[in-house]
Amino acid sequence: MHRLKIFTFLTVSFLLVSNGIAQQKILLSKAKIHVGNGKVINQGLVGIDGEEIVLVENALTFTYDKTAWDTIIDLKGQELYPGFIAPNSTLGLTEVDAVRATRDFNEVGVFNPHVRSQIAFNAESEINTTVKTNGVLYTQTTPQGGIISGTSSLMKLEAWNWEDATLKKDDGIHLNWPSTTKGGGWWAEPAPKKINDKYTEDVIKIRNFFEAALAYSESDDLYDARFEAMRAVFTGTKRVYFHANELRALTDIIDFKREFSIQYPVIIGGYEAYKIADQLIDAEIPIIIKGGHTLPTNEDDPVDLPYRLPALLQEAGILFCIQNSGRMETMNTRNIPFLAGTAMAYGLSEEQAISAVSLNTAKIMGVDQIAGSIEVGKKATLFASKGSALDMRTNELTLGMIHGKFIQLTNLQTKLYEKYKEKYKSK
């Protein structure tokens, strides 16, 4: 006899920890679905078979056979989202910023395209658990330092080890483009910024390295680990992530991209990208922009410019997503949803803000065929929240999945909260 299991969100926590239930075909019912591509289904159905989404329909108009599903979970009154993605992150590469032994993201050397963050990813990081409970389920684990820091990979945040965690390995190299200025900053006021006299010299070093790597890629006579890692850049299977913010740097990157026929360039930062939107669109360069919880960079910038940048890029038609690099970026990865919420308060619509931390990110990284939205054929990486996931007051997850598997929604903080809630309840 077919035994159908129907659960409400109050019993989902049992599902997450039970080893006695073998979920194969699961139906998530009646949630408000934020698809991730701009569409919303107010009362939707999401069917999951193994790792994949096999059904996305409107519950009010679609008739289905209940016996076709092993488990039905009633999420009425809740909101369902695709798993959010944290790009350009040291998550999984560091545990305690103040303890050097746990910081595995900065290698010795200047040009290190052969350094692979994938194999250094710590699937058992305690920080990962705090990030998942806010809906961030993928991360682009990214090295730092030098001119070319290394090669990033896209990872799942629940896995047995780095092999199991890998969604896309070696997706691109990270190049720290030199700054055109030096000095300045709020801590140095009133000292103004100065021109970086070594800018041209530093760009020439990058160009020389790329010329040598291009020549190497056209020959099989020698073996060099650094140049071997660059080969896929010229064949069009690996991205180049240019870390840059200033206007001149951005325009020079556009020229550099054309000079070396880089097929998949991406700019990380792009603070002044809105000023040259047409050129970036013509060059097909997307932006991974820093979230708005920061101060303006230039002395004469509007005070709210960092908060409005996502809306400016959206209005200009540039493909962009949101990241949170900066001080304490690993632990602050959990704030990715709230950076999107801030962008929503400064001009983005709710669905545009959701796309900026889900489908847009997947498109930029080349994994939008399997991740980034709740659509048929994609991996079942999603979560349900009692309220808006972009608001820290209402982001309260009741269910989470990565590739069709339920994930734990507890961390050290939630455990301590429950522990001391019981302690003081008795008094």
Side-chain angles (χ1 to χ4, degrees), residues 232-254:
V233 168
F234 303 110
T235 59
T237 58
K238 184 182 285 189
R239 284 158 171 72
V240 179
Y241 294 95
F242 295 91
H243 295 245
N245 286 288
E246 298 154 325
L247 185 60
R248 180 184 171 186
L250 299 180
T251 56
D252 286 348
I253 287 169
I254 293 174

Side-chain angles (χ1 to χ4, degrees), residues 397-417:
L397 272 63
T398 60
L399 174 150
M401 274 186 169
I402 296 179
H403 289 205
K405 296 180 181 178
F406 290 106
I407 61 173
Q408 291 282 354
L409 295 176
T410 57
N411 55 51
L412 178 61
Q413 283 85 354
T414 60
K415 290 175 182 177
L416 290 174
Y417 169 76

Side-chain angles (χ1 to χ4, degrees), residues 5-299:
K5 307 173 185 71
I6 300 178
F7 298 90
T8 66
F9 76 89
L10 294 175
T11 56
V12 167
S13 58
F14 168 74
L15 281 172
L16 301 182
V17 298
S18 172
N19 294 320
I21 299 177
Q23 286 97 7
Q24 293 297 322
K25 298 190 70 177
I26 301 167
L27 185 67
L28 308 179
S29 174
K30 300 178 183 177
K32 180 179 179 180
I33 304 174
H34 299 272
V35 177
N37 60 4
K39 298 180 181 178
V40 178
I41 304 175
N42 285 320
Q43 281 202 52
L45 299 168
V46 176
I48 299 161
D49 189 354
E51 290 190 356
E52 289 193 357
I53 298 171
V54 295
L55 173 73
V56 181
E57 294 287 350
N58 191 324
L60 299 178
T61 59
F62 183 79
T63 302
Y64 63 95
D65 180 6
K66 291 183 178 180
T67 63
W69 304 95
D70 298 313
T71 303
I72 297 176
I73 302 174
D74 187 346
L75 296 173
K76 187 174 182 179
Q78 298 189 64
E79 307 200 26
L80 197 65
Y81 298 86
F84 295 155
I85 306 171
N88 185 37
S89 176
T90 54
L91 189 66
L93 298 181
T94 185
E95 200 70 15
V96 182
D97 286 340
V99 179
R100 189 176 185 275
T102 72
R103 296 164 58 193
D104 201 14
F105 55 80
N106 192 341
E107 295 293 336
V108 174
V110 178
F111 291 96
N112 292 319
H114 59 300
V115 171
R116 303 172 62 226
S117 62
Q118 177 202 20
I119 58 177
F121 181 76
N122 177 15
E124 300 296 337
S125 170
E126 288 288 342
I127 304 175
N128 291 358
T129 62
T130 68
V131 171
K132 287 184 294 184
T133 49
N134 277 359
V136 179
L137 305 183
Y138 290 127
T139 184
Q140 183 194 35
T141 184
T142 305
Q144 295 182 355
I147 294 178
I148 296 182
S149 305
T151 301
S152 60
S153 292
L154 193 60
M155 315 295 282
K156 298 179 287 184
L157 286 181
E158 183 143 322
W160 290 107
N161 47 44
W162 63 263
E163 295 98 332
D164 184 38
T166 302
L167 179 68
K168 183 179 182 181
K169 70 175 184 178
D170 302 337
D171 72 299
I173 66 164
H174 288 257
L175 193 164
N176 297 300
W177 196 263
S179 176
T180 60
T181 61
K182 60 183 180 180
W186 60 266
W187 60 88
E189 196 175 0
K193 288 185 176 181
K194 298 179 181 179
I195 295 175
N196 179 9
D197 297 330
K198 294 186 177 181
Y199 174 77
T200 302
E201 178 184 333
D202 292 339
V203 171
I204 290 173
K205 290 179 182 178
I206 295 172
R207 181 173 284 106
N208 289 342
F209 182 83
F210 268 72
E211 288 174 349
L214 178 59
Y216 174 90
S217 70
E218 296 170 347
S219 172
D220 295 322
D221 295 338
L222 302 171
Y223 179 84
D224 185 293
R226 298 182 307 159
F227 292 152
E228 194 65 35
M230 294 288 293
R231 187 186 293 273
V233 168
F234 303 110
T235 59
T237 58
K238 184 182 285 189
R239 284 158 171 72
V240 179
Y241 294 95
F242 295 91
H243 295 245
N245 286 288
E246 298 154 325
L247 185 60
R248 180 184 171 186
L250 299 180
T251 56
D252 286 348
I253 287 169
I254 293 174
D255 293 338
F256 188 88
K257 176 259 185 188
R258 289 173 176 152
E259 179 182 351
F260 289 97
S261 301
I262 297 171
Q263 190 169 346
Y264 294 112
V266 180
I267 288 174
I268 295 181
Y271 181 79
E272 295 188 310
Y274 69 97
K275 296 180 179 179
I276 53 168
D278 291 342
Q279 294 95 312
L280 290 168
I281 292 171
D282 289 342
E284 298 181 322
I285 303 179
I287 308 293
I288 300 179
I289 195 167
K290 185 176 180 179
H293 295 179
T294 185
L295 294 169
T297 297
N298 303 313
E299 189 174 298

Side-chain angles (χ1 to χ4, degrees), residues 321-378:
C321 67
I322 294 174
Q323 52 104 6
N324 74 308
S325 62
R327 295 184 62 195
M328 300 187 292
E329 69 177 60
T330 306
M331 59 173 284
N332 283 329
T333 305
R334 62 177 182 256
N335 290 327
I336 286 281
F338 313 136
L339 296 176
T342 299
M344 177 180 164
Y346 281 82
L348 292 186
S349 70
E350 182 175 14
E351 300 313 312
Q352 289 169 346
I354 292 168
S355 295
V357 290
S358 57
L359 186 58
N360 285 6
T361 315
K363 286 179 179 179
I364 290 171
M365 296 181 184
V367 293
D368 53 303
Q369 295 301 311
I370 57 174
S373 60
I374 302 175
E375 297 181 90
V376 172
K378 295 194 176 185

